[in-house]
Amino acid sequence: LQNLATQTVNDIKSADAAAMAGIEGRMDTRKVVDTVMAAEHSLQTAIAVRDKIVSAYLDLSRMQI
């Protein structure tokens, strides 16, 4: 989970840097789009994992002991 979180943060940072480079004209538009789409995919994966963890926790908290 830690590696997933670290990779997601790194992908988002690189997408931000790519977007700035694209605005400044230092990076091709296609490369900017690819980088941002990869970051979006990483973020969606992290959110899905988080949702599964929260769901499992709620299921466990509802169990009777």
Side-chain angles (χ1 to χ4, degrees):
L1 290 175
Q2 183 179 7
N3 290 338
L4 175 67
T6 302
Q7 183 64 38
T8 301
V9 169
N10 290 338
D11 286 348
I12 291 172
K13 285 181 182 178
S14 67
D16 186 44
M20 290 304 295
I23 289 170
E24 295 170 354
R26 295 183 289 122
M27 186 179 278
D28 182 36
T29 305
R30 178 68 183 165
K31 182 120 175 115
V32 172
V33 170
D34 288 342
T35 306
V36 171
M37 293 299 288
E40 182 181 5
H41 184 264
S42 294
L43 183 60
Q44 288 177 350
T45 301
I47 289 171
V49 169
R50 181 209 58 192
D51 290 346
K52 290 289 185 180
I53 291 171
V54 169
S55 176
Y57 173 78
L58 291 174
D59 287 345
L60 287 174
S61 68
R62 286 188 213 120
M63 286 182 157
Q64 293 199 5
I65 300 176

